[in-house]
Amino acid sequence: MPSIQQQMTKHHRECDEILADAEAPLAAKDWPRYSTKWQAFVDELFQHLAMEEEVLFPAFEQATGITQGPTMVMRSEHEQMRAYVGQMNQAIEVEDQERAMGLVESLMLLIQQHNMKEEQMLYPMCDMRIDDSEDVLIKMNAQGK
């Protein structure tokens, strides 16, 4: 079974690819196609956030007793991502390409910085501190289905 870091990093890359795949329809102002690809990204992103917020972060907090540290920061950044999603949905609705391109650029930057923190700090800490990481992975996989 992969480590938490391996599994979650792999999922980060999958989300990145889905978002990158949506760039061409946005650049072409193909709103129906962009909307479909954007929704696929949002579904995957929200699944990832749920796996972390509902399974991984509570397991880390229980194992370490730390509730006001990295998981609090990650939850705050997740809220920022959700705000971008809401703004993007509005931009799609009115077909505002300039706004949408600015939002996707900002979201990608936020996600890159966020993922780096998780991959370099939080996930390794989770692998080291959570005794039953295999059970956590099973629960996260179940969460994603």
Side-chain angles (χ1 to χ4, degrees), residues 25 29-38 92 95:
K29 295 185 179 181
D30 182 349
W31 291 105
R33 197 161 149 244
Y34 179 66
S35 181
T36 298
K37 290 185 177 285
W38 170 254
I92 291 170
E95 299 183 354

Side-chain angles (χ1 to χ4, degrees), residues 58-72:
F60 174 81
E61 291 164 349
Q62 184 175 7
T64 63
I66 301 170
T67 59
Q68 300 299 310
T71 53
M72 183 181 75

